[in-house]
Amino acid sequence: MGRDGRQQGTKTGIALLYDDGSENAYDIRLKLTKEVLTIQKQDVICISGSECSANHRTVTLRRQQVGGLGLSIKGGAEHKVPVVVSKIFKDQAADQTGMLFIGDAIIQVNGINVENATHEEVVHLLRNAGDEVTITVQYLREAPSFLKLPLGSPGPSSDHSSGASSPLFDSGLHLNGNSTNTAPSSPSSPIANEPKYEKRWLDTLSVPLSMARISRYKAGTDKLRSNAFEVLALDGVSTGILQFYTAQESVHWLRAISTNISDLTLQNMKMANKCCTPADQIIHMGWVNERLDGIDSSQIYKFKFLALKGSSFYIFSSPPVSTLDWVRAEKIYNLCEVLFKVHKLWLADDCWLQAKLYLGIHQDYDLEDPRPYCFSVTVGHGKNHYFNVELANELAAWEKSFQRSIFLEVQRTGSKTYMCSWQGDSLCFTVDFALGFTCFDSKTKNVLWRFKFSQLKGSSDDGKTRVKLLFQNLDTKQIETKELEFQDLTAVLHCIHSFIAAKVASVDPVFIDSQSIARKYMYSN
């Protein structure tokens, strides 16, 4: 597939740029630095000479007895592409001019326009054009990959083909034609002060990676592109669909670009945190896809930017760039009252049993999603936000960051109190990091009961407003049932879960790490 290299922190390699409209792909070169992904296309440029032409070049070839014109051609109107030079043979007529290149589209032959000519028509013209043939060419920057044109310099020994041989007919040596000159013809050679040309990779598009996002899916669908993805800048500029010859190359580039985006996001976080108090630091942020239900029960996906900052979980339609942007989030939730859950990893069907046995993963059939690396965040009143990311390490980062953010918020907050009721009495229920659970009368403030976290042995709820909490009395060892009714039961249950998990983490951090589903999966692979 061409060559892939690294120089001074820069990664380069050959890929294809897919055009949805024409359904063709074109050879390009990618150049990746820490901050920018650049797309390069090959072009022929004038490097010296008195009369350089920016577009068309007119070249006179003298047909040789051995080797003829010294070139091969491919394409034609029947393939919806112009006829292009597909090979140039070293030290023969075309090569000696120094003005013809693989990928040149033939515009004219001896003054006859052939832009819309078929392959055979151009072959016929070149074969019968006599000993001296004047052709006008223009380099075809977007030559469809099905032409399989070599990407290297002229000559069979140095060709670096972009793939296997083309299914299209490649007309070559028979272009010798019917020469009337029996004596050896003088070689075609450049004249003094004639312009000199070179084929080079030129920058055509640069996509800044700060706050950029990646998608491997066809827009708005769950259809995964094969060995392909798209990179979109913060301002919406897109690379287009970048296609790779193998799955391995696709993954390598996906990871490399994703790593650079993550590094830049981390830099942005550090800069933003300099302006924030210790209690309001950004722990993690980045792009995800959110699954939304369409009006016809179909599933649609939209890019969302998530952030864990201070006491809150933020959902944005675009990244916060300034301090004011933080109050413009689509949704803001208190971290103590959300529940993070890994739903799906990129596992084959026959791996689910093993995953269930060894990693504790379960597939939620009510949340079935063809996309890998999924997680949900359940918020107040039982509302679910369902997300997916592109790579397993991103899922592991979100899992770890949610845990850390929630634990920090619990320790900062110390306690949370909720209004509740039972049998007509107005009560208050407090979850306290140090004391556990306390219930008191909202008017008199008299404590009705108090239990430690370790005394909670179970719970059940009606899925609406009522919950039963089962506590073990330390003296009698008997189970005591306490029933309460809350306006937002889900938020309270999540808060209890957050405080207990934070308590366990403060006592045994290793236990919490051992429960990480995404990281277990990453390490096992």
Side-chain angles (χ1 to χ4, degrees), residues 3-34:
R3 293 160 291 181
D4 193 317
R6 283 181 180 272
Q7 280 188 330
Q8 299 177 348
T10 299
K11 176 181 171 70
T12 59
I14 304 300
L16 294 170
L17 184 62
Y18 181 77
D19 186 318
D20 271 321
S22 66
E23 296 186 350
N24 287 327
Y26 309 99
D27 287 308
I28 58 166
R29 185 173 183 258
L30 296 177
K31 184 172 69 175
L32 176 67
T33 64
K34 285 294 182 184

PDB file of all heavy atoms in Angstrom, residues 3-34:
ATOM      1  N   ARG A   3       4.089   3.630   1.531  1.00  0.00           N
ATOM      2  CA  ARG A   3       4.959   3.616   2.699  1.00  0.00           C
ATOM      3  C   ARG A   3       4.381   4.451   3.813  1.00  0.00           C
ATOM      4  O   ARG A   3       3.684   5.421   3.601  1.00  0.00           O
ATOM      5  CB  ARG A   3       6.347   4.140   2.307  1.00  0.00           C
ATOM      6  CG  ARG A   3       7.071   3.217   1.358  1.00  0.00           C
ATOM      7  CD  ARG A   3       8.180   3.949   0.630  1.00  0.00           C
ATOM      8  NE  ARG A   3       7.641   4.922  -0.307  1.00  0.00           N
ATOM      9  CZ  ARG A   3       8.394   5.679  -1.083  1.00  0.00           C
ATOM     10  NH1 ARG A   3       9.692   5.572  -1.037  1.00  0.00           N
ATOM     11  NH2 ARG A   3       7.834   6.539  -1.914  1.00  0.00           N
ATOM     12  N   ASP A   4       4.730   4.023   5.040  1.00  0.00           N
ATOM     13  CA  ASP A   4       4.285   4.721   6.234  1.00  0.00           C
ATOM     14  C   ASP A   4       5.537   5.102   7.007  1.00  0.00           C
ATOM     15  O   ASP A   4       6.437   4.297   7.161  1.00  0.00           O
ATOM     16  CB  ASP A   4       3.420   3.758   7.059  1.00  0.00           C
ATOM     17  CG  ASP A   4       2.658   4.472   8.150  1.00  0.00           C
ATOM     18  OD1 ASP A   4       3.266   5.319   8.795  1.00  0.00           O
ATOM     19  OD2 ASP A   4       1.470   4.157   8.344  1.00  0.00           O
ATOM     20  N   GLY A   5       5.648   6.325   7.463  1.00  0.00           N
ATOM     21  CA  GLY A   5       6.869   6.713   8.159  1.00  0.00           C
ATOM     22  C   GLY A   5       6.635   7.707   9.265  1.00  0.00           C
ATOM     23  O   GLY A   5       5.574   8.280   9.383  1.00  0.00           O
ATOM     24  N   ARG A   6       7.671   7.902  10.084  1.00  0.00           N
ATOM     25  CA  ARG A   6       7.620   8.883  11.165  1.00  0.00           C
ATOM     26  C   ARG A   6       8.892   9.709  11.137  1.00  0.00           C
ATOM     27  O   ARG A   6       9.980   9.164  11.013  1.00  0.00           O
ATOM     28  CB  ARG A   6       7.524   8.187  12.532  1.00  0.00           C
ATOM     29  CG  ARG A   6       6.137   7.659  12.859  1.00  0.00           C
ATOM     30  CD  ARG A   6       6.165   7.016  14.243  1.00  0.00           C
ATOM     31  NE  ARG A   6       4.853   6.497  14.590  1.00  0.00           N
ATOM     32  CZ  ARG A   6       3.902   7.195  15.183  1.00  0.00           C
ATOM     33  NH1 ARG A   6       4.114   8.457  15.486  1.00  0.00           N
ATOM     34  NH2 ARG A   6       2.743   6.656  15.494  1.00  0.00           N
ATOM     35  N   GLN A   7       8.754  11.010  11.224  1.00  0.00           N
ATOM     36  CA  GLN A   7       9.910  11.884  11.292  1.00  0.00           C
ATOM     37  C   GLN A   7       9.626  12.988  12.288  1.00  0.00           C
ATOM     38  O   GLN A   7       8.652  13.733  12.140  1.00  0.00           O
ATOM     39  CB  GLN A   7      10.213  12.494   9.922  1.00  0.00           C
ATOM     40  CG  GLN A   7      10.963  11.566   8.992  1.00  0.00           C
ATOM     41  CD  GLN A   7      11.398  12.298   7.737  1.00  0.00           C
ATOM     42  OE1 GLN A   7      10.757  13.234   7.296  1.00  0.00           O
ATOM     43  NE2 GLN A   7      12.516  11.875   7.171  1.00  0.00           N
ATOM     44  N   GLN A   8      10.454  13.042  13.329  1.00  0.00           N
ATOM     45  CA  GLN A   8      10.363  14.107  14.327  1.00  0.00           C
ATOM     46  C   GLN A   8       8.926  14.318  14.807  1.00  0.00           C
ATOM     47  O   GLN A   8       8.375  15.402  14.779  1.00  0.00           O
ATOM     48  CB  GLN A   8      10.916  15.417  13.757  1.00  0.00           C
ATOM     49  CG  GLN A   8      12.388  15.312  13.373  1.00  0.00           C
ATOM     50  CD  GLN A   8      12.913  16.591  12.743  1.00  0.00           C
ATOM     51  OE1 GLN A   8      12.159  17.478  12.384  1.00  0.00           O
ATOM     52  NE2 GLN A   8      14.228  16.684  12.624  1.00  0.00           N
ATOM     53  N   GLY A   9       8.296  13.202  15.220  1.00  0.00           N
ATOM     54  CA  GLY A   9       6.944  13.282  15.753  1.00  0.00           C
ATOM     55  C   GLY A   9       5.868  13.372  14.694  1.00  0.00           C
ATOM     56  O   GLY A   9       4.701  13.541  15.022  1.00  0.00           O
ATOM     57  N   THR A  10       6.235  13.251  13.421  1.00  0.00           N
ATOM     58  CA  THR A  10       5.263  13.315  12.331  1.00  0.00           C
ATOM     59  C   THR A  10       5.064  11.923  11.743  1.00  0.00           C
ATOM     60  O   THR A  10       6.028  11.239  11.416  1.00  0.00           O
ATOM     61  CB  THR A  10       5.747  14.274  11.224  1.00  0.00           C
ATOM     62  OG1 THR A  10       5.899  15.580  11.771  1.00  0.00           O
ATOM     63  CG2 THR A  10       4.733  14.318  10.080  1.00  0.00           C
ATOM     64  N   LYS A  11       3.814  11.521  11.602  1.00  0.00           N
ATOM     65  CA  LYS A  11       3.491  10.227  11.009  1.00  0.00           C
ATOM     66  C   LYS A  11       2.936  10.474   9.603  1.00  0.00           C
ATOM     67  O   LYS A  11       2.084  11.347   9.413  1.00  0.00           O
ATOM     68  CB  LYS A  11       2.442   9.511  11.865  1.00  0.00           C
ATOM     69  CG  LYS A  11       1.939   8.171  11.306  1.00  0.00           C
ATOM     70  CD  LYS A  11       0.892   7.591  12.251  1.00  0.00           C
ATOM     71  CE  LYS A  11       0.185   6.381  11.646  1.00  0.00           C
ATOM     72  NZ  LYS A  11       1.056   5.202  11.539  1.00  0.00           N
ATOM     73  N   THR A  12       3.428   9.731   8.628  1.00  0.00           N
ATOM     74  CA  THR A  12       2.940   9.884   7.254  1.00  0.00           C
ATOM     75  C   THR A  12       2.560   8.521   6.692  1.00  0.00           C
ATOM     76  O   THR A  12       3.074   7.487   7.136  1.00  0.00           O
ATOM     77  CB  THR A  12       3.997  10.526   6.336  1.00  0.00           C
ATOM     78  OG1 THR A  12       5.168   9.695   6.334  1.00  0.00           O
ATOM     79  CG2 THR A  12       4.356  11.915   6.810  1.00  0.00           C
ATOM     80  N   GLY A  13       1.689   8.523   5.711  1.00  0.00           N
ATOM     81  CA  GLY A  13       1.297   7.267   5.082  1.00  0.00           C
ATOM     82  C   GLY A  13       0.301   7.502   3.960  1.00  0.00           C
ATOM     83  O   GLY A  13      -0.313   8.563   3.861  1.00  0.00           O
ATOM     84  N   ILE A  14       0.174   6.498   3.105  1.00  0.00           N
ATOM     85  CA  ILE A  14      -0.739   6.569   1.966  1.00  0.00           C
ATOM     86  C   ILE A  14      -2.102   6.012   2.367  1.00  0.00           C
ATOM     87  O   ILE A  14      -2.203   4.997   3.049  1.00  0.00           O
ATOM     88  CB  ILE A  14      -0.192   5.767   0.766  1.00  0.00           C
ATOM     89  CG1 ILE A  14       1.207   6.264   0.389  1.00  0.00           C
ATOM     90  CG2 ILE A  14      -1.131   5.864  -0.426  1.00  0.00           C
ATOM     91  CD1 ILE A  14       1.270   7.722  -0.006  1.00  0.00           C
ATOM     92  N   ALA A  15      -3.165   6.699   1.937  1.00  0.00           N
ATOM     93  CA  ALA A  15      -4.530   6.239   2.187  1.00  0.00           C
ATOM     94  C   ALA A  15      -5.370   6.593   0.973  1.00  0.00           C
ATOM     95  O   ALA A  15      -4.853   7.034  -0.061  1.00  0.00           O
ATOM     96  CB  ALA A  15      -5.082   6.890   3.452  1.00  0.00           C
ATOM     97  N   LEU A  16      -6.669   6.380   1.100  1.00  0.00           N
ATOM     98  CA  LEU A  16      -7.606   6.749   0.042  1.00  0.00           C
ATOM     99  C   LEU A  16      -8.607   7.748   0.582  1.00  0.00           C
ATOM    100  O   LEU A  16      -8.990   7.683   1.757  1.00  0.00           O
ATOM    101  CB  LEU A  16      -8.367   5.506  -0.460  1.00  0.00           C
ATOM    102  CG  LEU A  16      -7.551   4.425  -1.172  1.00  0.00           C
ATOM    103  CD1 LEU A  16      -8.391   3.173  -1.367  1.00  0.00           C
ATOM    104  CD2 LEU A  16      -7.049   4.932  -2.514  1.00  0.00           C
ATOM    105  N   LEU A  17      -9.036   8.665  -0.262  1.00  0.00           N
ATOM    106  CA  LEU A  17     -10.096   9.601   0.096  1.00  0.00           C
ATOM    107  C   LEU A  17     -11.333   9.199  -0.695  1.00  0.00           C
ATOM    108  O   LEU A  17     -11.339   9.231  -1.927  1.00  0.00           O
ATOM    109  CB  LEU A  17      -9.688  11.038  -0.248  1.00  0.00           C
ATOM    110  CG  LEU A  17     -10.676  12.131   0.171  1.00  0.00           C
ATOM    111  CD1 LEU A  17     -10.856  12.167   1.675  1.00  0.00           C
ATOM    112  CD2 LEU A  17     -10.199  13.495  -0.326  1.00  0.00           C
ATOM    113  N   TYR A  18     -12.371   8.784   0.035  1.00  0.00           N
ATOM    114  CA  TYR A  18     -13.578   8.259  -0.612  1.00  0.00           C
ATOM    115  C   TYR A  18     -14.568   9.383  -0.878  1.00  0.00           C
ATOM    116  O   TYR A  18     -14.839  10.210  -0.004  1.00  0.00           O
ATOM    117  CB  TYR A  18     -14.214   7.192   0.278  1.00  0.00           C
ATOM    118  CG  TYR A  18     -15.463   6.569  -0.320  1.00  0.00           C
ATOM    119  CD1 TYR A  18     -15.367   5.611  -1.325  1.00  0.00           C
ATOM    120  CD2 TYR A  18     -16.724   6.943   0.115  1.00  0.00           C
ATOM    121  CE1 TYR A  18     -16.495   5.033  -1.883  1.00  0.00           C
ATOM    122  CE2 TYR A  18     -17.869   6.374  -0.427  1.00  0.00           C
ATOM    123  CZ  TYR A  18     -17.750   5.415  -1.432  1.00  0.00           C
ATOM    124  OH  TYR A  18     -18.880   4.859  -1.972  1.00  0.00           O
ATOM    125  N   ASP A  19     -15.102   9.388  -2.100  1.00  0.00           N
ATOM    126  CA  ASP A  19     -16.085  10.386  -2.504  1.00  0.00           C
ATOM    127  C   ASP A  19     -17.455   9.722  -2.561  1.00  0.00           C
ATOM    128  O   ASP A  19     -17.709   8.872  -3.419  1.00  0.00           O
ATOM    129  CB  ASP A  19     -15.702  10.957  -3.879  1.00  0.00           C
ATOM    130  CG  ASP A  19     -16.618  12.113  -4.297  1.00  0.00           C
ATOM    131  OD1 ASP A  19     -17.833  12.012  -4.097  1.00  0.00           O
ATOM    132  OD2 ASP A  19     -16.099  13.114  -4.826  1.00  0.00           O
ATOM    133  N   ASP A  20     -18.346  10.090  -1.623  1.00  0.00           N
ATOM    134  CA  ASP A  20     -19.682   9.489  -1.569  1.00  0.00           C
ATOM    135  C   ASP A  20     -20.466   9.722  -2.852  1.00  0.00           C
ATOM    136  O   ASP A  20     -21.236   8.864  -3.296  1.00  0.00           O
ATOM    137  CB  ASP A  20     -20.486  10.063  -0.389  1.00  0.00           C
ATOM    138  CG  ASP A  20     -20.256   9.245   0.881  1.00  0.00           C
ATOM    139  OD1 ASP A  20     -20.175   8.017   0.772  1.00  0.00           O
ATOM    140  OD2 ASP A  20     -20.159   9.847   1.964  1.00  0.00           O
ATOM    141  N   GLY A  21     -20.280  10.898  -3.451  1.00  0.00           N
ATOM    142  CA  GLY A  21     -21.043  11.248  -4.648  1.00  0.00           C
ATOM    143  C   GLY A  21     -20.716  10.353  -5.828  1.00  0.00           C
ATOM    144  O   GLY A  21     -21.590   9.729  -6.424  1.00  0.00           O
ATOM    145  N   SER A  22     -19.417  10.274  -6.167  1.00  0.00           N
ATOM    146  CA  SER A  22     -19.005   9.472  -7.326  1.00  0.00           C
ATOM    147  C   SER A  22     -18.759   8.014  -6.963  1.00  0.00           C
ATOM    148  O   SER A  22     -18.610   7.165  -7.844  1.00  0.00           O
ATOM    149  CB  SER A  22     -17.723  10.055  -7.926  1.00  0.00           C
ATOM    150  OG  SER A  22     -16.643   9.925  -7.002  1.00  0.00           O
ATOM    151  N   GLU A  23     -18.692   7.728  -5.654  1.00  0.00           N
ATOM    152  CA  GLU A  23     -18.379   6.387  -5.138  1.00  0.00           C
ATOM    153  C   GLU A  23     -17.005   5.919  -5.603  1.00  0.00           C
ATOM    154  O   GLU A  23     -16.744   4.729  -5.755  1.00  0.00           O
ATOM    155  CB  GLU A  23     -19.456   5.370  -5.529  1.00  0.00           C
ATOM    156  CG  GLU A  23     -20.822   5.687  -4.915  1.00  0.00           C
ATOM    157  CD  GLU A  23     -21.851   4.607  -5.183  1.00  0.00           C
ATOM    158  OE1 GLU A  23     -21.567   3.715  -6.000  1.00  0.00           O
ATOM    159  OE2 GLU A  23     -22.932   4.667  -4.561  1.00  0.00           O
ATOM    160  N   ASN A  24     -16.121   6.884  -5.863  1.00  0.00           N
ATOM    161  CA  ASN A  24     -14.729   6.582  -6.195  1.00  0.00           C
ATOM    162  C   ASN A  24     -13.835   6.961  -5.023  1.00  0.00           C
ATOM    163  O   ASN A  24     -14.210   7.753  -4.166  1.00  0.00           O
ATOM    164  CB  ASN A  24     -14.278   7.361  -7.434  1.00  0.00           C
ATOM    165  CG  ASN A  24     -14.886   6.801  -8.710  1.00  0.00           C
ATOM    166  OD1 ASN A  24     -15.111   5.599  -8.819  1.00  0.00           O
ATOM    167  ND2 ASN A  24     -15.149   7.676  -9.676  1.00  0.00           N
ATOM    168  N   ALA A  25     -12.654   6.374  -4.994  1.00  0.00           N
ATOM    169  CA  ALA A  25     -11.668   6.714  -3.972  1.00  0.00           C
ATOM    170  C   ALA A  25     -10.398   7.174  -4.668  1.00  0.00           C
ATOM    171  O   ALA A  25     -10.047   6.687  -5.752  1.00  0.00           O
ATOM    172  CB  ALA A  25     -11.383   5.519  -3.079  1.00  0.00           C
ATOM    173  N   TYR A  26      -9.694   8.128  -4.047  1.00  0.00           N
ATOM    174  CA  TYR A  26      -8.493   8.720  -4.643  1.00  0.00           C
ATOM    175  C   TYR A  26      -7.312   8.561  -3.700  1.00  0.00           C
ATOM    176  O   TYR A  26      -7.454   8.673  -2.482  1.00  0.00           O
ATOM    177  CB  TYR A  26      -8.726  10.215  -4.914  1.00  0.00           C
ATOM    178  CG  TYR A  26      -9.999  10.500  -5.672  1.00  0.00           C
ATOM    179  CD1 TYR A  26     -11.157  10.906  -5.011  1.00  0.00           C
ATOM    180  CD2 TYR A  26     -10.048  10.357  -7.047  1.00  0.00           C
ATOM    181  CE1 TYR A  26     -12.337  11.153  -5.709  1.00  0.00           C
ATOM    182  CE2 TYR A  26     -11.226  10.600  -7.761  1.00  0.00           C
ATOM    183  CZ  TYR A  26     -12.356  10.997  -7.080  1.00  0.00           C
ATOM    184  OH  TYR A  26     -13.520  11.226  -7.769  1.00  0.00           O
ATOM    185  N   ASP A  27      -6.141   8.302  -4.304  1.00  0.00           N
ATOM    186  CA  ASP A  27      -4.931   8.191  -3.493  1.00  0.00           C
ATOM    187  C   ASP A  27      -4.570   9.532  -2.881  1.00  0.00           C
ATOM    188  O   ASP A  27      -4.544  10.560  -3.569  1.00  0.00           O
ATOM    189  CB  ASP A  27      -3.758   7.705  -4.357  1.00  0.00           C
ATOM    190  CG  ASP A  27      -3.882   6.237  -4.705  1.00  0.00           C
ATOM    191  OD1 ASP A  27      -4.065   5.421  -3.794  1.00  0.00           O
ATOM    192  OD2 ASP A  27      -3.803   5.907  -5.911  1.00  0.00           O
ATOM    193  N   ILE A  28      -4.293   9.514  -1.586  1.00  0.00           N
ATOM    194  CA  ILE A  28      -3.829  10.710  -0.878  1.00  0.00           C
ATOM    195  C   ILE A  28      -2.692  10.312   0.062  1.00  0.00           C
ATOM    196  O   ILE A  28      -2.449   9.126   0.285  1.00  0.00           O
ATOM    197  CB  ILE A  28      -4.953  11.374  -0.045  1.00  0.00           C
ATOM    198  CG1 ILE A  28      -5.522  10.369   0.962  1.00  0.00           C
ATOM    199  CG2 ILE A  28      -6.037  11.960  -0.931  1.00  0.00           C
ATOM    200  CD1 ILE A  28      -6.376  11.004   2.036  1.00  0.00           C
ATOM    201  N   ARG A  29      -2.038  11.313   0.589  1.00  0.00           N
ATOM    202  CA  ARG A  29      -1.002  11.081   1.605  1.00  0.00           C
ATOM    203  C   ARG A  29      -1.434  11.815   2.868  1.00  0.00           C
ATOM    204  O   ARG A  29      -1.870  12.966   2.819  1.00  0.00           O
ATOM    205  CB  ARG A  29       0.347  11.616   1.117  1.00  0.00           C
ATOM    206  CG  ARG A  29       1.533  11.331   2.033  1.00  0.00           C
ATOM    207  CD  ARG A  29       2.803  11.778   1.309  1.00  0.00           C
ATOM    208  NE  ARG A  29       4.006  11.488   2.048  1.00  0.00           N
ATOM    209  CZ  ARG A  29       4.703  12.388   2.751  1.00  0.00           C
ATOM    210  NH1 ARG A  29       4.285  13.657   2.784  1.00  0.00           N
ATOM    211  NH2 ARG A  29       5.812  12.064   3.378  1.00  0.00           N
ATOM    212  N   LEU A  30      -1.350  11.127   4.005  1.00  0.00           N
ATOM    213  CA  LEU A  30      -1.693  11.736   5.294  1.00  0.00           C
ATOM    214  C   LEU A  30      -0.422  12.137   6.022  1.00  0.00           C
ATOM    215  O   LEU A  30       0.576  11.396   6.027  1.00  0.00           O
ATOM    216  CB  LEU A  30      -2.480  10.750   6.166  1.00  0.00           C
ATOM    217  CG  LEU A  30      -3.853  10.316   5.654  1.00  0.00           C
ATOM    218  CD1 LEU A  30      -4.457   9.293   6.599  1.00  0.00           C
ATOM    219  CD2 LEU A  30      -4.776  11.510   5.499  1.00  0.00           C
ATOM    220  N   LYS A  31      -0.466  13.311   6.636  1.00  0.00           N
ATOM    221  CA  LYS A  31       0.661  13.780   7.452  1.00  0.00           C
ATOM    222  C   LYS A  31       0.093  14.203   8.802  1.00  0.00           C
ATOM    223  O   LYS A  31      -0.712  15.136   8.886  1.00  0.00           O
ATOM    224  CB  LYS A  31       1.372  14.949   6.762  1.00  0.00           C
ATOM    225  CG  LYS A  31       2.619  15.430   7.515  1.00  0.00           C
ATOM    226  CD  LYS A  31       3.401  16.457   6.703  1.00  0.00           C
ATOM    227  CE  LYS A  31       2.652  17.770   6.576  1.00  0.00           C
ATOM    228  NZ  LYS A  31       3.431  18.825   5.902  1.00  0.00           N
ATOM    229  N   LEU A  32       0.480  13.491   9.840  1.00  0.00           N
ATOM    230  CA  LEU A  32      -0.070  13.730  11.176  1.00  0.00           C
ATOM    231  C   LEU A  32       0.999  14.298  12.104  1.00  0.00           C
ATOM    232  O   LEU A  32       2.050  13.690  12.305  1.00  0.00           O
ATOM    233  CB  LEU A  32      -0.606  12.419  11.766  1.00  0.00           C
ATOM    234  CG  LEU A  32      -1.138  12.467  13.200  1.00  0.00           C
ATOM    235  CD1 LEU A  32      -2.400  13.323  13.283  1.00  0.00           C
ATOM    236  CD2 LEU A  32      -1.416  11.060  13.722  1.00  0.00           C
ATOM    237  N   THR A  33       0.720  15.480  12.643  1.00  0.00           N
ATOM    238  CA  THR A  33       1.566  16.054  13.690  1.00  0.00           C
ATOM    239  C   THR A  33       0.746  16.092  14.978  1.00  0.00           C
ATOM    240  O   THR A  33      -0.409  15.681  14.995  1.00  0.00           O
ATOM    241  CB  THR A  33       2.024  17.479  13.324  1.00  0.00           C
ATOM    242  OG1 THR A  33       0.868  18.327  13.240  1.00  0.00           O
ATOM    243  CG2 THR A  33       2.756  17.492  11.995  1.00  0.00           C
ATOM    244  N   LYS A  34       1.335  16.598  16.036  1.00  0.00           N
ATOM    245  CA  LYS A  34       0.639  16.641  17.332  1.00  0.00           C
ATOM    246  C   LYS A  34      -0.633  17.473  17.264  1.00  0.00           C
ATOM    247  O   LYS A  34      -1.601  17.208  17.972  1.00  0.00           O
ATOM    248  CB  LYS A  34       1.568  17.207  18.416  1.00  0.00           C
ATOM    249  CG  LYS A  34       2.638  16.243  18.878  1.00  0.00           C
ATOM    250  CD  LYS A  34       2.015  15.054  19.587  1.00  0.00           C
ATOM    251  CE  LYS A  34       3.072  14.089  20.121  1.00  0.00           C
ATOM    252  NZ  LYS A  34       2.439  12.889  20.732  1.00  0.00           N
TER     253      LYS A  34
END
